[in-house]
Amino acid sequence: MADIRRHEKLPKPDERGRIKAFVGKTEDGKRAVFVVGNRRTTQVESQIRLEKIREIYSQCKNGHWNEFLRQVAIRIGKGEPITETVIPYETSEPTIDAKMMEFVRSLGVPVNFENPEMEREGIRLTNEQLLEVVGKAVKSEIEKLEKTGGPLIRKLATTLPEDDLSHLDDSTLNDAIKAYRLHLEATGATDAQGNLSGYVRKCLDRQKYLKEAHKDIQLKYLTLPKLEEMASHWRNRPQTSKGNRCSKYHARDMLKELWRLLRWINDQPNFRWELPKGADRINRSPIDLPQDNQKGVFQTTTKATYTPEQLGMILENTDAQGKAIISTCVNCAFGASEIGQWSITKFVMNQAHPRADKIGIETTAADSWIVGARPKTGVYGEHLLWEPVAKAIEPFLSDGREVLPMTSKGTKWYQLNRSNPQTKFQRWWENLIKRTQKQYDIPYLPFGSLRDTFPDVLRQKYSDDVASLALHHGSLGEDKLLKCYANLPFKKLFEATRELEEFYQPMLSKL
């Protein structure tokens, strides 16, 4: 097999911004170059592509690239989805081609032969080769046993079934999990920056939990009783590292993830395993525990948020950027995802609303706004900023930053390439609340509670529609088609925002 060096650092982008890496040699002895990213590609994504290319090259023989595998590697380097035959491929060695295909598929690339008959022939010939090897080995062992067992061994040997190779597949659960993770990384949805979406990263995390929770066994032993045992582990909500039973939601998600994995293995030709009959009838509903219902008798209000007075106490213990972040989140019903990704270009300062006449509102050049589509939902919205909030934001709009929350080194707080993009927010918020609690008696609520604060007041004092509009919900009320025929009532939201400025004075006065 070809010689490769793994885990080398990524090369720097060239003058055109391309990240080029040399892996192996071509058939004519020249160094093979692959583009694995550009300035818009994250380092993590480029590294994943490069490692896959190196792994593919490790399968090449004779010290140079096989042309078919090189074409696969080129497309992986470019980040192109491979959903069908990469290139027409003809050879007089179908067994080699079939093995190559199985290897490429094991990386999560759903590639197929242009001529399906060629693949079937390759598998048939490979099976024959394996049967011949296995047959010789079995015959040799029987001959050894005959010397000690005599007629009994000869009698048992004649009863051995002639079967296909399905019972010879020694792939394990961990092998399948690894292949499925590679499949998710290769085919999972990405955001505008090329990072895997939050949903895909959560799936990858849950696959890691499955690997840690279940002992590695050969797939042929994943029988119906074994699947019932695995499902029972999550259905009964196992203990977490903190000693508590996991939440019902986590157990439910893990069961869904386990069955997604099993169905994927069932559909893969390189794993000779089928979902046992009756598997879909296994109980996958997490149990209820007494601690699930420890809420108070009166549950008139279940959504906990800070009061304007408490928000003012918190603002006393943070810096200028912290004040801008918190007040913006309250004013615009933002969470970490919104404030952490909202482009500074969407902050419109000291400008009258250009559609004031159509909306029917009074506006002046002293007004400031935040407009745009919410990152997670893509639903468009507009927010009128209270004057103290606008003044708190302004110092951060002229220093070249992309978003409001940035570190002193110019790094965004919200890191899309992490499993938990809002880690920075959580740590900062926990430290801030601990400092505040040394002075004041306030509860600990998560950073996400800031997003709920304004809509909760809007819902109590105005209407569900206004609260939904502040949260950028796609539709208001029960008529899902109304948005097709009428404009959203931004006038109500802007008027409510102006009227509630006095209500939020205990917070605004600390800015």
Side-chain angles (χ1 to χ4, degrees):
M1 291 188 180
D3 177 47
I4 58 171
R5 289 174 292 176
R6 295 179 177 276
H7 306 300
E8 296 177 355
K9 290 185 178 180
L10 284 172
K12 293 183 179 179
D14 62 14
E15 65 279 359
R16 293 174 58 185
R18 298 172 300 180
I19 301 174
K20 292 183 176 180
F22 293 97
V23 180
K25 296 179 180 180
T26 58
E27 194 170 357
D28 57 8
K30 295 180 180 179
R31 297 175 73 190
V33 61
F34 299 89
V35 177
V36 295
N38 51 48
R39 291 193 181 97
R40 296 188 300 275
T41 311
T42 65
Q43 283 197 334
V44 173
E45 176 62 26
S46 295
Q47 191 69 51
I48 288 173
R49 295 178 187 177
L50 180 54
E51 289 301 322
K52 284 185 179 179
I53 291 173
R54 287 171 173 161
E55 191 167 354
I56 291 173
Y57 184 60
S58 70
Q59 300 299 304
C60 296
K61 297 177 174 58
N62 303 320
H64 61 75
W65 276 97
N66 164 280
E67 183 57 25
F68 166 73
L69 292 180
R70 192 176 74 87
Q71 292 298 326
V72 173
I74 287 173
R75 294 187 67 173
I76 287 177
K78 292 179 179 179
E80 295 180 1
I82 305 176
T83 56
E84 55 188 20
T85 303
V86 180
I87 53 172
Y89 192 66
E90 296 180 0
T91 179
S92 58
E93 299 182 273
T95 56
I96 295 177
D97 299 344
K99 292 172 184 176
M100 286 183 180
M101 280 294 186
E102 289 301 305
F103 171 73
V104 173
R105 287 171 179 156
S106 73
L107 296 177
V109 180
V111 62
N112 297 298
F113 276 101
E114 185 178 53
N115 180 3
E117 187 60 38
M118 188 183 298
E119 179 177 18
R120 286 192 287 271
E121 178 64 11
I123 293 173
R124 185 185 68 78
L125 292 174
T126 302
N127 282 355
E128 287 182 359
Q129 291 177 0
L130 283 174
L131 282 172
E132 183 179 354
V133 172
V134 172
K136 288 179 180 179
V138 170
K139 184 178 180 181
S140 174
E141 290 301 316
I142 290 175
E143 289 175 351
K144 291 178 183 178
L145 290 171
E146 281 183 344
K147 294 178 181 179
T148 57
L152 177 60
I153 296 298
R154 282 193 293 274
K155 182 178 180 181
L156 291 174
T158 59
T159 64
L160 290 174
E162 293 184 5
D163 200 355
D164 61 20
L165 287 177
S166 61
H167 64 288
L168 300 176
D169 186 3
D170 61 354
S171 298
T172 68
L173 178 62
N174 284 356
D175 292 335
I177 290 175
K178 179 182 178 182
Y180 185 52
R181 286 174 61 85
L182 289 169
H183 168 74
L184 289 174
E185 290 171 354
T187 63
T190 58
D191 58 27
Q193 287 75 42
N195 299 299
L196 289 172
S197 69
Y199 170 76
V200 177
R201 289 197 301 274
K202 282 184 171 58
C203 288
L204 289 170
D205 283 343
R206 287 193 283 264
Q207 289 297 323
K208 182 180 68 175
Y209 302 151
L210 288 175
K211 185 176 179 181
E212 293 171 352
H214 300 293
K215 185 180 294 186
D216 191 26
I217 61 171
Q218 291 184 344
L219 293 179
K220 60 187 176 184
Y221 297 125
L222 279 183
T223 59
L224 186 64
K226 183 61 180 178
L227 295 186
E228 289 176 331
E229 177 188 323
M230 294 171 71
S232 177
H233 172 80
W234 297 107
R235 195 171 67 83
N236 288 310
R237 298 167 58 178
Q239 282 193 341
T240 66
S241 58
K242 296 181 179 179
N244 304 318
R245 301 283 283 276
C246 77
S247 71
K248 190 173 183 178
Y249 301 105
H250 178 69
R252 179 200 61 193
D253 290 342
M254 290 304 302
L255 284 161
K256 287 182 179 179
E257 195 65 39
L258 174 59
W259 250 251
R260 270 194 291 269
L261 170 67
L262 295 173
R263 291 194 177 103
W264 182 82
I265 300 172
N266 179 80
D267 295 338
Q268 300 309 301
N270 51 312
F271 290 119
R272 299 183 185 91
W273 180 85
E274 292 184 357
L275 199 64
K277 185 178 180 180
D280 284 331
R281 292 196 297 273
I282 293 175
N283 187 348
R284 303 196 297 276
S285 298
I287 62 172
D288 292 315
L289 295 173
Q291 57 263 38
D292 296 339
N293 299 301
Q294 294 297 317
K295 298 178 181 178
V297 177
F298 290 98
Q299 298 180 28
T300 311
T301 59
T302 57
K303 179 61 68 176
T305 57
Y306 287 116
T307 65
E309 290 77 14
Q310 290 171 329
L311 291 169
M313 297 171 189
I314 295 171
L315 290 181
E316 290 179 11
N317 290 275
T318 189
D319 58 13
Q321 179 176 246
K323 290 177 180 178
I325 292 171
I326 294 171
S327 59
T328 302
C329 287
V330 173
N331 196 159
C332 304
F334 281 179
S337 174
E338 290 74 35
I339 193 68
Q341 298 183 79
W342 212 279
S343 172
I344 288 298
T345 61
K346 303 298 184 182
F347 290 60
V348 183
M349 313 304 288
N350 303 314
Q351 178 180 313
H353 197 292
R355 302 288 186 273
D357 293 340
K358 291 185 178 181
I359 298 175
I361 61 170
E362 294 183 5
T363 179
T364 69
D367 290 333
S368 296
W369 317 81
I370 290 182
V371 300
R374 211 171 186 92
K376 287 185 177 179
T377 64
V379 177
Y380 178 81
E382 297 179 1
H383 301 276
L384 171 64
L385 296 177
W386 294 311
E387 185 178 355
V389 176
K391 289 182 177 179
I393 293 171
E394 278 186 314
F396 302 97
L397 301 182
S398 58
D399 59 358
R401 64 179 63 203
E402 296 179 50
V403 295
L404 179 56
M406 302 276 285
T407 67
S408 58
K409 295 181 179 180
T411 304
K412 296 179 183 178
W413 282 22
Y414 196 84
Q415 294 290 310
L416 276 169
N417 60 340
R418 293 185 177 179
S419 297
N420 185 2
Q422 55 192 23
T423 299
K424 170 68 175 177
F425 284 91
Q426 292 172 345
R427 292 174 180 170
W428 170 75
W429 183 252
E430 288 174 3
N431 291 332
L432 175 56
I433 298 303
K434 286 179 182 177
R435 288 199 302 274
T436 306
Q437 287 175 333
K438 292 179 181 179
Q439 293 180 267
Y440 302 103
D441 182 19
I442 66 169
Y444 175 83
L445 300 178
F447 181 82
S449 66
L450 297 179
R451 177 189 57 230
D452 306 324
T453 302
F454 194 43
D456 185 52
V457 176
L458 289 173
R459 188 178 191 190
Q460 303 303 322
K461 294 182 177 291
Y462 295 89
S463 68
D464 289 0
D465 287 355
V466 178
S468 293
L469 197 57
L471 288 164
H472 293 216
H473 285 176
S475 59
L476 308 179
E478 297 181 0
D479 189 347
K480 306 301 181 185
L481 295 177
L482 183 61
K483 64 180 180 181
C484 300
Y485 305 99
N487 291 317
L488 295 170
F490 282 110
K491 176 182 178 180
K492 293 181 179 180
L493 176 60
F494 298 153
E495 289 177 345
T497 301
R498 289 193 191 279
E499 291 172 7
L500 288 173
E501 183 170 359
E502 182 178 353
F503 175 77
Y504 278 99
Q505 272 304 310
M507 177 193 76
L508 300 175
S509 64
K510 303 297 182 180
L511 296 175

